[in-house]
Coordinates of all heavy atoms in Angstrom, one line a residue:
M1 N 14.0 -9.6 -0.2 CA 12.9 -8.9 0.3 C 12.2 -8.1 -0.9 O 11.1 -7.7 -0.7 CB 13.3 -7.9 1.3 CG 13.5 -8.6 2.6 SD 12.5 -7.9 3.8 CE 13.7 -7.7 5.1
R2 N 12.8 -8.0 -2.0 CA 12.2 -7.3 -3.1 C 10.9 -8.0 -3.5 O 9.9 -7.3 -3.9 CB 13.1 -7.2 -4.3 CG 14.3 -6.3 -4.0 CD 15.2 -6.3 -5.1 NE 15.7 -7.7 -5.2 CZ 16.9 -8.0 -5.7 NH1 17.7 -7.1 -6.1 NH2 17.3 -9.3 -5.8
E3 N 10.9 -9.3 -3.5 CA 9.7 -10.0 -3.9 C 8.5 -9.7 -3.0 O 7.4 -9.6 -3.4 CB 10.0 -11.5 -4.0 CG 11.0 -11.9 -5.0 CD 12.4 -11.9 -4.5 OE1 12.6 -11.6 -3.3 OE2 13.3 -12.0 -5.3
G4 N 8.8 -9.6 -1.7 CA 7.8 -9.3 -0.7 C 7.2 -8.0 -0.9 O 6.0 -7.8 -0.8
T5 N 8.0 -7.0 -1.3 CA 7.6 -5.7 -1.5 C 6.7 -5.6 -2.8 O 5.6 -5.0 -2.8 CB 8.8 -4.7 -1.7 OG1 9.5 -4.8 -0.5 CG2 8.3 -3.3 -1.9
A6 N 7.1 -6.3 -3.8 CA 6.4 -6.3 -5.0 C 5.0 -7.0 -4.8 O 4.0 -6.5 -5.3 CB 7.1 -7.1 -6.1
L7 N 5.0 -8.1 -4.1 CA 3.7 -8.8 -3.7 C 2.8 -7.9 -3.0 O 1.6 -7.8 -3.3 CB 4.0 -10.1 -3.0 CG 2.8 -10.9 -2.6 CD1 2.0 -11.4 -3.8 CD2 3.2 -12.0 -1.7
A8 N 3.3 -7.1 -2.0 CA 2.5 -6.2 -1.2 C 1.9 -5.1 -2.1 O 0.7 -4.8 -1.9 CB 3.3 -5.6 -0.1
L9 N 2.7 -4.6 -3.0 CA 2.1 -3.5 -3.9 C 1.1 -4.1 -4.8 O 0.0 -3.4 -5.0 CB 3.3 -2.9 -4.7 CG 4.2 -2.0 -3.9 CD1 5.4 -1.6 -4.7 CD2 3.5 -0.8 -3.3
V10 N 1.3 -5.3 -5.4 CA 0.3 -5.8 -6.3 C -0.9 -6.2 -5.5 O -2.1 -5.9 -6.0 CB 0.9 -7.1 -7.0 CG1 -0.2 -7.9 -7.7 CG2 2.0 -6.7 -7.9
C11 N -0.8 -6.7 -4.3 CA -2.0 -7.1 -3.5 C -2.8 -5.8 -3.2 O -4.0 -5.9 -3.2 CB -1.5 -7.8 -2.3 SG -1.0 -9.5 -2.6
A12 N -2.1 -4.8 -2.8 CA -2.8 -3.5 -2.5 C -3.6 -3.0 -3.7 O -4.7 -2.5 -3.6 CB -1.8 -2.5 -2.0
Y13 N -2.9 -3.1 -4.9 CA -3.6 -2.6 -6.1 C -4.8 -3.5 -6.4 O -5.9 -2.9 -6.7 CB -2.6 -2.7 -7.2 CG -3.1 -2.2 -8.6 CD1 -3.1 -0.9 -8.8 CD2 -3.5 -3.1 -9.5 CE1 -3.6 -0.4 -10.1 CE2 -4.0 -2.7 -10.7 CZ -4.0 -1.3 -11.0 OH -4.5 -0.9 -12.2
V14 N -4.7 -4.8 -6.3 CA -5.8 -5.7 -6.6 C -6.9 -5.4 -5.6 O -8.1 -5.3 -6.0 CB -5.4 -7.2 -6.5 CG1 -6.5 -8.1 -6.6 CG2 -4.4 -7.4 -7.7
L15 N -6.6 -5.3 -4.3 CA -7.6 -5.0 -3.3 C -8.3 -3.7 -3.5 O -9.6 -3.7 -3.4 CB -7.0 -5.0 -1.9 CG -8.0 -4.8 -0.7 CD1 -9.1 -5.8 -0.7 CD2 -7.2 -4.8 0.6
A16 N -7.6 -2.7 -3.9 CA -8.2 -1.4 -4.2 C -9.2 -1.5 -5.3 O -10.3 -1.0 -5.3 CB -7.2 -0.4 -4.5
G17 N -8.8 -2.3 -6.4 CA -9.7 -2.5 -7.5 C -11.0 -3.2 -7.1 O -12.0 -2.9 -7.6
E18 N -10.8 -4.2 -6.3 CA -12.0 -5.0 -5.9 C -12.9 -4.2 -5.0 O -14.1 -4.3 -5.1 CB -11.5 -6.3 -5.2 CG -10.8 -7.3 -6.1 CD -11.6 -7.7 -7.3 OE1 -12.8 -7.7 -7.3 OE2 -10.9 -7.9 -8.4
I19 N -12.4 -3.4 -4.2 CA -13.2 -2.5 -3.3 C -14.0 -1.5 -4.2 O -15.2 -1.3 -4.0 CB -12.4 -1.8 -2.3 CG1 -11.9 -2.8 -1.2 CG2 -13.2 -0.7 -1.6 CD1 -10.9 -2.2 -0.2
K20 N -13.3 -1.0 -5.2 CA -14.0 -0.1 -6.1 C -15.1 -0.7 -6.9 O -16.1 -0.2 -7.1 CB -12.9 0.5 -7.1 CG -13.5 1.6 -8.0 CD -12.4 2.1 -8.9 CE -13.0 3.2 -9.8 NZ -12.0 3.7 -10.7
R21 N -14.9 -2.0 -7.3 CA -15.8 -2.7 -8.2 C -17.0 -3.3 -7.4 O -18.1 -3.4 -7.9 CB -15.1 -3.9 -8.8 CG -14.8 -3.6 -10.3 CD -14.3 -4.9 -10.9 NE -13.0 -5.4 -10.4 CZ -11.9 -4.8 -10.8 NH1 -11.8 -3.8 -11.7 NH2 -10.7 -5.3 -10.3
S22 N -16.8 -3.6 -6.1 CA -17.8 -4.3 -5.4 C -18.8 -3.4 -4.7 O -18.5 -2.3 -4.3 CB -17.2 -5.2 -4.3 OG -16.3 -6.2 -5.0
A23 N -20.0 -3.9 -4.5 CA -21.0 -3.2 -3.8 C -20.8 -3.3 -2.3 O -21.3 -2.4 -1.5 CB -22.4 -3.7 -4.2
H24 N -20.2 -4.3 -1.8 CA -20.0 -4.6 -0.3 C -18.6 -5.0 -0.1 O -18.0 -5.8 -0.9 CB -21.1 -5.7 0.1 CG -21.2 -5.7 1.6 ND1 -20.5 -6.7 2.3 CD2 -22.0 -5.0 2.4 CE1 -20.8 -6.5 3.6 NE2 -21.7 -5.5 3.7
Y25 N -18.1 -4.6 1.0 CA -16.7 -4.9 1.3 C -16.4 -6.4 1.5 O -15.4 -6.9 1.1 CB -16.2 -4.2 2.6 CG -16.8 -4.7 3.9 CD1 -16.1 -5.8 4.6 CD2 -17.9 -4.2 4.4 CE1 -16.7 -6.3 5.7 CE2 -18.5 -4.7 5.6 CZ -17.8 -5.7 6.2 OH -18.4 -6.2 7.4
A26 N -17.4 -7.2 2.0 CA -17.2 -8.6 2.1 C -17.0 -9.3 0.7 O -16.2 -10.2 0.6 CB -18.4 -9.3 2.9
E27 N -17.8 -8.9 -0.2 CA -17.6 -9.4 -1.6 C -16.3 -9.0 -2.1 O -15.6 -9.8 -2.8 CB -18.7 -8.8 -2.5 CG -18.7 -9.2 -3.9 CD -19.7 -8.4 -4.8 OE1 -20.6 -7.8 -4.2 OE2 -19.5 -8.5 -6.0
A28 N -15.8 -7.8 -1.9 CA -14.5 -7.3 -2.4 C -13.4 -8.2 -1.8 O -12.5 -8.6 -2.5 CB -14.3 -5.9 -2.0
F29 N -13.4 -8.5 -0.5 CA -12.4 -9.3 0.2 C -12.4 -10.7 -0.3 O -11.4 -11.3 -0.6 CB -12.6 -9.3 1.7 CG -12.3 -8.0 2.4 CD1 -13.0 -7.5 3.5 CD2 -11.2 -7.2 1.9 CE1 -12.7 -6.4 4.1 CE2 -10.9 -6.0 2.5 CZ -11.7 -5.6 3.6
H30 N -13.6 -11.3 -0.6 CA -13.7 -12.6 -1.1 C -13.1 -12.7 -2.5 O -12.3 -13.6 -2.8 CB -15.2 -13.1 -1.1 CG -15.4 -14.4 -1.7 ND1 -15.0 -15.6 -1.0 CD2 -15.9 -14.8 -2.9 CE1 -15.3 -16.6 -1.8 NE2 -15.8 -16.2 -2.9
T31 N -13.4 -11.8 -3.3 CA -12.9 -11.8 -4.7 C -11.4 -11.5 -4.7 O -10.6 -12.2 -5.4 CB -13.6 -10.7 -5.6 OG1 -15.0 -10.9 -5.5 CG2 -13.2 -10.7 -7.0
Y32 N -10.9 -10.6 -3.8 CA -9.5 -10.3 -3.7 C -8.8 -11.6 -3.3 O -7.7 -12.0 -3.9 CB -9.3 -9.3 -2.7 CG -7.9 -9.2 -2.1 CD1 -6.9 -8.7 -2.8 CD2 -7.7 -9.7 -0.8 CE1 -5.6 -8.6 -2.2 CE2 -6.4 -9.7 -0.3 CZ -5.4 -9.1 -1.0 OH -4.1 -9.1 -0.5
E33 N -9.3 -12.3 -2.3 CA -8.6 -13.5 -1.9 C -8.5 -14.6 -3.0 O -7.5 -15.2 -3.2 CB -9.3 -14.1 -0.6 CG -8.5 -15.3 -0.1 CD -9.1 -15.8 1.2 OE1 -10.2 -15.4 1.6 OE2 -8.6 -16.8 1.7
A34 N -9.6 -14.7 -3.7 CA -9.7 -15.7 -4.8 C -8.7 -15.4 -5.9 O -8.1 -16.3 -6.5 CB -11.1 -15.8 -5.3
R35 N -8.5 -14.1 -6.1 CA -7.5 -13.7 -7.2 C -6.1 -13.8 -6.8 O -5.2 -14.1 -7.5 CB -7.8 -12.3 -7.6 CG -9.2 -12.2 -8.3 CD -9.4 -10.8 -8.8 NE -8.7 -10.7 -10.1 CZ -8.7 -9.6 -10.8 NH1 -9.3 -8.5 -10.4 NH2 -8.0 -9.5 -11.9
V36 N -5.8 -13.5 -5.5 CA -4.4 -13.4 -5.0 C -3.9 -14.7 -4.5 O -2.7 -15.0 -4.7 CB -4.3 -12.3 -4.0 CG1 -2.9 -12.3 -3.3 CG2 -4.6 -10.9 -4.6
R37 N -4.7 -15.5 -3.9 CA -4.3 -16.7 -3.2 C -3.4 -17.6 -4.0 O -2.4 -18.2 -3.5 CB -5.4 -17.5 -2.7 CG -5.0 -18.7 -1.8 CD -6.2 -19.4 -1.2 NE -6.7 -18.7 -0.1 CZ -6.2 -18.8 1.2 NH1 -5.2 -19.6 1.4 NH2 -6.8 -18.1 2.2
P38 N -3.6 -17.9 -5.3 CA -2.8 -18.8 -6.1 C -1.3 -18.3 -6.2 O -0.4 -19.1 -6.5 CB -3.5 -18.8 -7.5 CG -4.9 -18.4 -7.2 CD -4.8 -17.5 -6.1
Y39 N -1.1 -17.0 -6.1 CA 0.2 -16.5 -6.3 C 1.1 -16.4 -5.0 O 2.3 -16.4 -5.1 CB 0.2 -15.1 -6.9 CG -0.5 -15.1 -8.3 CD1 -1.9 -14.8 -8.4 CD2 0.2 -15.5 -9.4 CE1 -2.5 -14.8 -9.6 CE2 -0.5 -15.6 -10.6 CZ -1.8 -15.2 -10.7 OH -2.4 -15.3 -11.9
V40 N 0.4 -16.4 -3.9 CA 1.2 -16.1 -2.6 C 2.2 -17.3 -2.3 O 3.3 -17.0 -1.9 CB 0.2 -15.9 -1.5 CG1 0.9 -15.8 -0.1 CG2 -0.6 -14.6 -1.7
P41 N 1.8 -18.5 -2.5 CA 2.8 -19.6 -2.1 C 4.1 -19.5 -2.8 O 5.2 -19.8 -2.3 CB 2.1 -20.9 -2.5 CG 0.6 -20.6 -2.4 CD 0.6 -19.1 -2.9
R42 N 4.1 -19.0 -4.0 CA 5.4 -18.8 -4.8 C 6.3 -17.8 -4.0 O 7.6 -18.0 -4.0 CB 5.2 -18.3 -6.2 CG 4.5 -19.3 -7.1 CD 4.5 -18.7 -8.4 NE 3.2 -19.2 -9.1 CZ 2.6 -18.6 -10.1 NH1 3.1 -17.5 -10.6 NH2 1.6 -19.1 -10.6
F43 N 5.8 -16.8 -3.5 CA 6.6 -15.8 -2.8 C 6.9 -16.2 -1.4 O 7.9 -15.8 -0.8 CB 5.8 -14.5 -2.7 CG 5.7 -13.8 -4.1 CD1 4.6 -14.0 -4.9 CD2 6.8 -13.0 -4.5 CE1 4.6 -13.4 -6.1 CE2 6.7 -12.4 -5.8 CZ 5.6 -12.6 -6.5
A44 N 6.0 -17.1 -0.7 CA 6.2 -17.5 0.6 C 7.3 -18.6 0.8 O 7.7 -18.9 1.9 CB 4.9 -17.9 1.2
K45 N 7.7 -19.3 -0.3 CA 8.6 -20.4 -0.2 C 9.9 -20.0 0.4 O 10.4 -20.7 1.2 CB 8.9 -20.9 -1.6 CG 7.9 -21.8 -2.2 CD 8.4 -22.4 -3.5 CE 7.3 -23.3 -4.1 NZ 7.7 -23.8 -5.4
G46 N 10.4 -18.8 0.2 CA 11.7 -18.4 0.7 C 11.6 -17.9 2.1 O 12.6 -17.7 2.8
M47 N 10.4 -17.8 2.7 CA 10.2 -17.3 4.0 C 10.1 -18.5 5.0 O 9.4 -19.4 4.7 CB 9.0 -16.4 4.1 CG 9.0 -15.2 3.2 SD 10.2 -14.0 3.6 CE 9.4 -13.2 4.9
N48 N 10.8 -18.4 6.1 CA 10.6 -19.4 7.1 C 10.3 -18.7 8.4 O 10.5 -17.5 8.5 CB 11.8 -20.4 7.2 CG 13.1 -19.7 7.7 OD1 13.0 -18.8 8.5 ND2 14.2 -20.0 7.1
S49 N 9.8 -19.4 9.4 CA 9.4 -18.8 10.6 C 10.5 -18.0 11.4 O 10.2 -17.0 12.0 CB 8.7 -19.8 11.6 OG 9.7 -20.8 11.9
V50 N 11.7 -18.5 11.3 CA 12.8 -17.8 12.0 C 13.1 -16.5 11.3 O 13.2 -15.4 12.0 CB 14.1 -18.7 12.0 CG1 15.3 -17.9 12.5 CG2 13.9 -20.0 12.8
F51 N 13.1 -16.5 10.0 CA 13.3 -15.3 9.2 C 12.2 -14.2 9.5 O 12.5 -13.1 9.8 CB 13.4 -15.6 7.8 CG 13.7 -14.4 6.9 CD1 14.9 -13.8 7.0 CD2 12.8 -13.9 6.0 CE1 15.2 -12.7 6.2 CE2 13.1 -12.8 5.2 CZ 14.3 -12.2 5.3
V52 N 11.0 -14.7 9.6 CA 9.9 -13.8 9.8 C 10.0 -13.2 11.2 O 9.8 -12.0 11.4 CB 8.5 -14.5 9.7 CG1 7.3 -13.7 10.1 CG2 8.3 -14.9 8.2
R53 N 10.4 -14.0 12.2 CA 10.5 -13.5 13.6 C 11.7 -12.5 13.7 O 11.5 -11.5 14.4 CB 10.8 -14.7 14.6 CG 9.5 -15.3 15.0 CD 9.8 -16.3 16.1 NE 9.3 -17.6 15.6 CZ 10.0 -18.7 15.6 NH1 11.3 -18.7 16.1 NH2 9.6 -19.8 15.1
L54 N 12.7 -12.7 12.9 CA 13.8 -11.7 12.9 C 13.4 -10.4 12.3 O 13.8 -9.3 12.8 CB 15.0 -12.3 12.2 CG 15.8 -13.4 12.9 CD1 16.8 -14.0 11.9 CD2 16.5 -12.9 14.1
I55 N 12.6 -10.5 11.3 CA 12.2 -9.2 10.6 C 11.3 -8.4 11.6 O 11.4 -7.2 11.7 CB 11.4 -9.6 9.4 CG1 12.3 -10.1 8.3 CG2 10.6 -8.3 8.8 CD1 11.6 -10.6 7.1
H56 N 10.5 -9.1 12.4 CA 9.5 -8.4 13.2 C 10.0 -8.2 14.6 O 9.3 -7.8 15.5 CB 8.2 -9.2 13.3 CG 7.5 -9.1 11.9 ND1 6.9 -8.0 11.4 CD2 7.3 -10.1 11.0 CE1 6.4 -8.3 10.2 NE2 6.7 -9.6 9.9
A57 N 11.3 -8.5 14.9 CA 11.8 -8.3 16.3 C 12.1 -6.9 16.6 O 12.2 -6.0 15.8 CB 13.1 -9.1 16.4

């Protein structure tokens, strides 16, 4: 779970930076997604649907 926590913190930091830089929130979200999306699959490999359901039960 450490990887998920690190990913969440990095994503929050990137999103905050994009919101600060952008004139409109839609632009910030678009840029954020473009920057973060390539990294997410690496972290999601270890997650499966059963594990996710157990976490949120």
Side-chain angles (χ1 to χ4, degrees):
M1 283 238 226
R2 291 175 299 210
E3 295 87 7
T5 303
L7 179 63
L9 290 172
V10 169
C11 288
Y13 182 80
V14 171
L15 181 57
E18 293 306 325
I19 289 171
K20 183 178 178 182
R21 257 189 292 282
S22 300
H24 194 264
Y25 71 90
E27 178 186 344
F29 290 145
H30 177 72
T31 306
Y32 159 78
E33 184 177 4
R35 294 184 79 182
V36 171
R37 185 174 286 275
Y39 299 99
V40 172
R42 289 185 215 159
F43 289 94
K45 278 184 183 177
M47 302 294 279
N48 63 40
S49 60
V50 174
F51 184 66
V52 172
R53 276 189 242 124
L54 287 172
I55 291 172
H56 294 289

